[in-house]
Amino acid sequence: MRIVRAGVVQYEAALAEQRRVHAEVADGTAPDTVLLLEHPSVYTAGKRTEPDDRPFDGTPVIDVDRGGKITWHGPGQLVGYPIVKLPDPVDVVAYVRRMEQLLIDVCAEVGVATIRVEGRSGVWVAADKRGPARKVAAIGIRVARGVTLHGFALNANCDLSRYDIFVPCGIRDAGVTSLSAELGRDVTVEEILPIVERHLTTLC
């Protein structure tokens, strides 16, 4: 597996690079590849996004061909785009579960206990005295020609107020959090990058 630390990349440029690498992986001319990066602030909407999910203030949104609904990407959030060939027969649900487990393991390593929530993708901090269940990592993928696109977004120390102007992932009865908010200290993308890299082999 090839891991690329791409730094800060505009969303449209990262999408174009994903598609380029995807074609190579699907053709067998490139190895499984994971792009790890941050985006400048951007809102993206998957295929299941409803009109009422979108930003209340008219903020622009980029419509994309992944599953899921609307989310935000921006500084302080580690985004991972695994472009990997899935074994036959292709089992998309199993792949998403492996991605969730990867993120659960990463969160545990920095000291945040997380769970899956039935019927909802991503990784969550369970409801407690601080509030209802809250998502710390979002997942949205697409599979074409047996090869994955898109991936996960793990909140390290991002500005959580960015989630206040829309309905994150179309979920109205839960919150959004970050590793920093849960631990009460600054957890940077630079800190979690090597941890994520060590766990990526579990995706295949």
Side-chain angles (χ1 to χ4, degrees):
M1 178 182 286
R2 176 178 61 177
I3 299 172
V4 179
R5 290 193 185 189
V8 179
V9 184
Q10 291 285 346
Y11 187 84
E12 295 91 336
L15 185 57
E17 179 65 4
Q18 278 193 79
R19 289 171 173 161
R20 185 191 70 77
V21 174
H22 178 274
E24 292 181 348
V25 174
D27 289 341
T29 59
D32 289 345
T33 300
V34 183
L35 307 177
L36 296 175
L37 50 86
E38 290 178 82
H39 289 304
S41 185
V42 62
Y43 294 88
T44 71
K47 293 180 289 187
R48 294 174 45 242
T49 301
E50 302 291 339
D52 290 347
D53 298 335
R54 292 174 179 266
F56 317 129
D57 64 354
T59 297
V61 176
I62 298 174
D63 291 285
V64 292
D65 59 357
R66 62 167 168 77
K69 294 194 173 188
I70 190 168
T71 194
W72 171 83
H73 298 305
Q77 179 191 74
L78 177 61
V79 178
Y81 294 131
I83 304 165
V84 299
K85 188 165 186 61
L86 297 179
D88 288 323
V90 170
D91 188 335
V92 177
V93 173
Y95 172 69
V96 172
R97 294 294 170 266
R98 290 196 298 274
M99 186 175 288
E100 288 172 344
Q101 190 60 52
L102 179 157
L103 294 165
I104 288 169
D105 293 343
V106 169
C107 291
E109 195 161 325
V110 297
V112 176
T114 55
I115 60 169
R116 293 182 176 92
V117 172
E118 184 70 28
R120 293 176 172 177
S121 69
V123 171
W124 300 76
V125 175
D128 56 20
K129 62 184 180 182
R130 297 175 56 195
R134 44 209 183 267
K135 183 180 279 192
V136 70
I139 293 174
I141 68 160
R142 179 174 178 243
V143 179
R145 299 174 62 193
V147 177
T148 63
L149 285 154
H150 304 290
F152 63 85
L154 175 58
N155 292 342
N157 59 350
C158 53
D159 178 4
L160 294 176
S161 70
R162 296 288 187 168
Y163 291 96
D164 292 343
I165 66 165
F166 74 109
V167 182
C169 302
I171 297 171
R172 290 169 166 78
D173 60 345
V176 178
T177 190
S178 67
L179 297 173
S180 295
E182 294 302 319
L183 291 173
R185 69 173 181 86
D186 192 32
V187 180
T188 65
V189 167
E190 290 73 21
E191 178 180 342
I192 61 173
L193 252 175
I195 303 172
V196 169
E197 286 176 339
R198 277 194 281 103
H199 288 277
L200 281 173
T201 56
T202 62
L203 279 181
C204 298

